[in-house]
Amino acid sequence: MGDLLVAAAVVTTYAGLLVAAAEWAERREARRRPVAANRFVYSLALGVYATTWTFYGSVGFAARHGLLFLTVYLGPTLCAAAWWWLVRKLVRLKNSHRVTSLPDVLALRYEKSQAVALLATGVLVIGLIPYIALQLKTMIVTLGLVAGAGARFTYPDSGRQLGIPLLAFLLLFTIAFGLRRVRPAERHPGMMVALAVESVVKLVAFLAAGAFVVWGLFDGPADVFRSAALTQAAPRLLGEYHVTTWLAHLFLSAFAVVLLPRQFHVAVVENASEDHVRTAMWLFPAYLLLINVFVLPVALGGLALNGSPDTADTFVLSLPLKAGIPALSWLVFLGGFSAGTGMVIVETTALATMLSNHAVLPAADAFQPLGWLRRHVRATRWVAAAAVLLAAFAYERAVGAAYDLAAIGLVSFAAVLQLAPALLGGLFWAGASRTGALAGMGAGFATWVYTLVVPVLARTGWLPASLVTEGPFGVESLVPEGLFDVHTDSITHAVLWTTIANVGAFVAGSLLFPARRDEESRSER
C-alpha cells in the first residue's frame, strides 16, 4: 500500500497542522487569551504517557504475556489518586522557586547542590535513551510497512535508509515545538495544545483499529476470544507470573508517570493552575482506560488469524493493511506516528534543557574558556537534543532487533525509578541529606546498569556472553540477572535489587551524614 513519499507527505502535512495549532495557541497566549491554560488541555496533554509502546507494544505484550500489560496503566491510575498531595506539592515548588525539571527540585532540596542535579540529569539522560530508541524503532518499522516496497524496507535493514531522515524530522520539530525559544519558566503553551490534539488523534485511531478487528474481521468480542482459544499461540490471560512480577510492574509504572521527564514537564512545569490537577486525577485514568479497551481483543484476534507472537507488536497496523483498508491503515499509521513524535519531542526537549542547565552552563561557569557558551544557550540545547537523538538511534541500531517494545521500555522505567527515594525522601523526610541523595541515586543507578544494561550488551555481543551465564570471573552468585541466587524475571529482579541498593544507601548516607539545618527547612512536610 502506498509509497514512502506518500507516507512522508502525510506525516509532514500532519506535523504542519500541529505547528499551526501551536502557533495559534502561542498567539492567544501573547494576547492574554490563553487556550493552553485549560483543565482539559492539561489532562489530555498528559496522554503523552501513551507512546508507541501503548499504541503497538501493548498489543505485542498482551499477545505474549496476557493481562500483565495492564500493569503499565493500572500503576499510573493508582498513582493518580495521590496526585492532589504529590503533584500539587511539586507545582507549588515550581511556582515558588521557578524550577523547570526534576533535577531542579532535587538540587533545591539538597543544599542547592549542583552535584545532585548533575547526577539526576545523568541518570535520566542515560536511562531514557532506550525509551527514545523504542519510539525510533517503531516509527522505522511502521514507515517500512506503509511504504509497501517489499524487502527494501524490512526491519532492521530499513533503519539504514529511514533512520537519518527520521532523526532530522524529529530534531526539526523538537526545535519548533520545544526549543525554539529560551523561556525563563520553560512553559510552552503551543506544545501543550499540540500534545492534546495528538492524544485525541491516537485515541481515535486506536479505537477505530480495535473496532475494525472486533467487528470487521470477527463477529464481536465473543468470537475473538472463541477463535483465539482454538490456537496454540494464545497466551494464558493471567500468564505464568508470580504476584511479585505484577507488583514490580505496578510499582515501576506508578513512579514512572511522575518521574519520566516528559510527564514531570507536562504535569508540573506546564501546569497553569493547581486546580487542573483535580481534573487530571480522573480524566487521565479515563483516557488510559479507553486507549486500552481493544488491546487484548486486537492481540488475540491477530493470533487467531495465524499471527505469530513475534510479530504482534505490529498487529494494529498490519491487520488493516492486509485487509486492504487504506483509509484505516493511514489513520492507524498516523496515530502511531503521533504517539512516537509526541513522546520524542517532549522527552528530548526536557533532556536537552536539563543538559544545558546542569551540565553545559555550570561547565561554562567553572572553566573560563567555555564562558562563550552562556551566550548561546539556545544553540547549546539544539546540540544537546541532536546528541540525545543520535544516542537513541545508535541504541536502536545495536539492540532494537533483539528486543520487543515492552522489554525496551521497562528498562527505562527501572532507570527513572532511581530518583524516587531522593524525591520522596526530600519531600516528606526532614532528615534526608545531600550525601544520602547522592549515595542512593549512585548505588541504584550502578545496580540498574549491572542488572539490566549489562545483560543487553552481553546478548548483543558488546560484552562477553559468559557474564550472563557464568557471572564475572565465573562467580554464579554474581550473574547480573540472578544476583545472590535470586531468580525471577529480569525486571522484577532489577526492581528488587536497585530498590534495596538505592534506599539502603540513601538512608545510610542521610543518617551518617545528617542534613544541615537549611536542608531540613526546605523539606515540605
Side-chain angles (χ1 to χ4, degrees):
M1 168 197 143
D3 179 79
L4 187 59
L5 291 178
V6 177
V10 169
V11 169
T12 303
T13 301
Y14 175 68
L17 293 174
L18 289 180
V19 170
E23 281 292 333
W24 171 73
E26 295 276 359
R27 287 195 297 270
R28 297 268 299 191
E29 186 85 10
R31 296 170 187 166
R32 297 188 178 182
R33 299 172 61 188
V35 65
N38 177 285
R39 67 184 68 240
F40 297 107
V41 170
Y42 173 75
S43 299
L44 286 172
L46 285 168
V48 73
Y49 180 79
T51 66
T52 58
W53 178 359
T54 297
F55 204 87
Y56 295 109
S58 287
V59 172
F61 201 30
R64 289 182 284 270
H65 307 292
L67 291 174
L68 187 63
F69 83 93
L70 285 175
T71 56
V72 179
Y73 310 99
L74 289 176
T77 298
L78 295 173
C79 182
W83 279 4
W84 189 244
W85 296 274
L86 178 59
V87 174
R88 185 179 57 150
K89 190 182 291 285
L90 292 170
V91 168
R92 287 182 174 178
L93 279 173
K94 182 260 300 189
N95 291 334
S96 300
H97 302 281
R98 299 179 73 179
V99 299
T100 60
S101 66
L102 189 53
D104 281 347
V105 174
L106 295 173
L108 176 69
R109 168 61 178 84
Y110 297 108
E111 300 182 13
K112 297 185 178 180
S113 169
Q114 179 57 37
V116 169
L118 183 60
L119 179 56
T121 297
V123 170
L124 290 174
V125 171
I126 296 172
L128 268 296
I129 292 301
Y131 206 175
I132 298 174
L134 181 161
Q135 315 306 314
L136 299 181
K137 173 183 177 178
T138 309
M139 287 188 274
I140 290 170
V141 169
T142 53
L143 274 170
L145 285 175
V146 297
R152 182 184 174 191
F153 293 115
T154 300
Y155 189 80
D157 293 337
S158 57
R160 288 198 294 268
Q161 293 86 20
L162 303 177
I164 297 302
L166 178 61
L167 287 186
F169 171 87
L170 291 171
L171 179 61
L172 175 65
F173 283 97
T174 297
I175 292 172
F177 282 110
L179 298 175
R180 185 173 44 173
R181 303 185 184 96
V182 178
R183 303 170 183 266
E186 303 298 349
R187 291 190 64 239
H188 308 85
M191 184 175 69
M192 288 291 283
V193 170
L195 289 177
V197 172
E198 283 192 321
S199 290
V200 173
V201 169
K202 62 193 178 191
L203 176 62
V204 170
F206 197 89
L207 291 177
F212 165 72
V213 171
V214 173
W215 288 285
L217 300 180
F218 294 89
D219 293 326
D223 187 34
V224 172
F225 282 85
R226 185 168 51 251
S227 300
L230 300 177
T231 176
Q232 294 182 347
R236 293 178 57 183
L237 290 185
L238 295 179
E240 299 178 355
Y241 300 101
H242 194 271
V243 66
T244 55
T245 299
W246 289 75
L247 291 175
H249 283 69
L250 284 169
F251 187 66
L252 272 183
S253 55
F255 280 104
V257 77
V258 174
L259 298 177
L260 286 167
R262 70 180 187 278
Q263 297 303 132
F264 183 91
H265 185 86
V266 173
V268 178
V269 179
E270 299 286 354
N271 181 278
S273 169
E274 289 181 14
D275 197 50
H276 292 178
V277 177
R278 291 186 186 273
T279 303
M281 287 173 65
W282 66 264
L283 185 53
F284 176 62
Y287 181 88
L288 294 182
L289 173 65
L290 281 174
I291 206 168
N292 280 283
V293 164
F294 287 113
V295 167
L296 191 60
V298 171
L300 296 179
L303 293 175
L305 294 171
N306 297 319
S308 166
D310 294 334
T311 60
D313 283 340
T314 62
F315 279 175
V316 179
L317 180 58
S318 63
L319 292 177
L321 279 171
K322 290 178 181 177
I325 314 293
L328 179 60
S329 300
W330 282 115
L331 176 62
V332 171
F333 167 73
L334 202 55
F337 213 85
S338 289
T341 54
M343 180 275 184
V344 172
I345 287 170
V346 186
E347 206 82 87
T348 305
T349 295
L351 294 176
T353 302
M354 289 180 209
L355 285 169
S356 169
N357 291 349
H358 302 299
V360 177
L361 295 183
D365 291 336
F367 302 102
Q368 189 174 357
L370 298 177
W372 60 273
L373 289 172
R374 277 212 159 270
R375 301 190 299 274
H376 302 281
V377 175
R378 183 172 58 174
T380 297
R381 292 182 180 180
W382 293 1
V383 172
V388 168
L389 290 174
L390 285 171
F393 182 58
Y395 189 93
E396 182 275 328
R397 290 287 81 197
V399 308
Y403 289 86
D404 59 64
L405 301 184
I408 296 173
L410 288 169
V411 169
S412 289
F413 273 28
V416 300
L417 179 65
Q418 307 318 311
L419 272 62
L423 176 64
L424 295 181
L427 290 175
F428 301 106
W429 180 29
S433 73
R434 171 182 174 274
T435 302
L438 289 170
M441 285 190 291
F445 183 66
T447 307
W448 172 79
V449 170
Y450 187 70
T451 56
L452 284 177
V453 178
V454 167
V456 170
L457 297 178
R459 290 196 174 95
T460 51
W462 292 89
L463 289 175
S466 60
L467 281 174
V468 295
T469 56
E470 303 171 11
F473 310 108
V475 182
E476 290 189 12
S477 61
L478 295 181
V479 168
E481 294 176 316
L483 276 177
F484 306 113
D485 294 323
V486 174
H487 296 282
T488 180
D489 65 280
S490 60
I491 295 300
T492 304
H493 177 268
V495 169
L496 171 67
W497 287 114
T498 58
T499 301
I500 290 174
N502 195 326
V503 174
F506 174 61
V507 172
S510 296
L511 294 177
L512 292 173
F513 301 92
R516 296 179 181 178
R517 188 177 299 276
D518 60 337
E519 277 189 273
E520 292 182 355
S521 67
R522 292 192 193 101
S523 177
E524 293 287 321
R525 288 178 290 177

